[in-house]
Amino acid sequence: MKKIINPWTHREGYDCFGCCQDNPIGVRMTFMEDGDDVVSFWKPGEHYQGWINTLHGGIIATLMDETAGWVVFRKLQTSGMTTHLDVHYRKAVMTTEPQLEIRGHIAERKRNLVFVDVVLKNSSGEVCCEGRVTYFCMNGDKAREMGFESCDVEE
């Protein structure tokens, strides 16, 4: 596995709730490339709960949506936006988990739409949530206009 370099880190105004390491209320995700997959290992905290010790469903959706975006950044070398997010909550995710694994890969592509399958597992490896994210991909010129240049991995 190789760590993916965040291409937005030094961009003025960057404060993404999902991946900005300096956002004090964000989830501060980082990503790794593992073959065809993009993976994030994330530790939940009590401030992200819905019910006592239970991770809020909206935070789960955020983790899955952010992972899908990073699949597009890394694997397709472009930017875009989510147009549809379908999450199946299979098992409660506890905020007391030492680590979650969120893993996504491209399942299908139709013109400028990409369908990314994402799975969230608890620290025991149990699948807690599955989803499919439909992502609209910008062409290269539009992505560069929006500030995206490339998404590389560390050597």
Side-chain angles (χ1 to χ4, degrees), residues 31 63-73 82 104 116 118 133 135:
F31 296 91
L63 298 172
M64 296 176 79
D65 183 41
E66 188 72 14
T67 301
W70 280 80
V71 168
V72 170
F73 299 157
T82 300
V116 179
V118 182
V133 181
Y135 213 82

Side-chain angles (χ1 to χ4, degrees), residues 124-140:
S124 299
E126 299 170 301
V127 173
C128 298
C129 303
E130 298 174 289
R132 178 164 276 196
V133 181
T134 306
Y135 213 82
F136 173 82
C137 293
M138 296 177 184
N139 66 38

Side-chain angles (χ1 to χ4, degrees), residues 17-38:
F17 181 79
C19 63
C20 180
Q21 300 304 298
D22 296 326
N23 185 326
I25 62 168
V27 292
R28 302 179 185 180
M29 297 176 79
T30 59
F31 296 91
M32 307 285 286
E33 182 176 51
D34 186 19
D36 291 337
D37 291 351
V38 168

Side-chain angles (χ1 to χ4, degrees), residues 2-149:
K2 292 186 176 184
K3 182 174 174 46
I4 299 173
I5 300 167
N6 186 328
W8 314 106
T9 300
H10 301 294
R11 185 156 176 86
E12 187 176 337
Y14 166 66
D15 197 32
C16 178
F17 181 79
C19 63
C20 180
Q21 300 304 298
D22 296 326
N23 185 326
I25 62 168
V27 292
R28 302 179 185 180
M29 297 176 79
T30 59
F31 296 91
M32 307 285 286
E33 182 176 51
D34 186 19
D36 291 337
D37 291 351
V38 168
V39 183
S40 182
F41 299 100
W42 187 77
K43 177 164 180 8
E46 66 184 23
H47 297 296
Y48 297 118
Q49 67 180 293
W51 180 242
I52 299 168
N53 292 331
T54 306
L55 192 60
H56 191 284
I59 297 297
I60 291 169
T62 298
L63 298 172
M64 296 176 79
D65 183 41
E66 188 72 14
T67 301
W70 280 80
V71 168
V72 170
F73 299 157
R74 176 65 191 144
K75 297 302 183 178
L76 299 179
Q77 293 295 308
T78 191
S79 187
M81 59 184 267
T82 300
T83 62
H84 186 82
L85 174 64
D86 186 23
V87 178
H88 297 269
Y89 300 90
R90 306 271 187 227
K91 179 180 175 65
V93 180
M94 309 313 292
T95 57
T96 54
E97 286 285 338
Q99 179 174 273
L100 303 177
E101 177 183 312
I102 309 96
R103 181 177 289 267
H105 66 270
I106 295 171
E108 185 179 355
R109 192 169 180 189
K110 292 182 182 174
R111 297 166 67 195
N112 58 350
L113 293 179
V114 175
F115 302 89
V116 179
D117 286 345
V118 182
V119 173
L120 184 147
K121 295 179 182 179
N122 63 19
S123 59
S124 299
E126 299 170 301
V127 173
C128 298
C129 303
E130 298 174 289
R132 178 164 276 196
V133 181
T134 306
Y135 213 82
F136 173 82
C137 293
M138 296 177 184
N139 66 38
D141 290 339
K142 185 64 175 173
R144 281 187 292 283
E145 181 184 315
M146 299 295 290
F148 181 84
E149 293 178 17

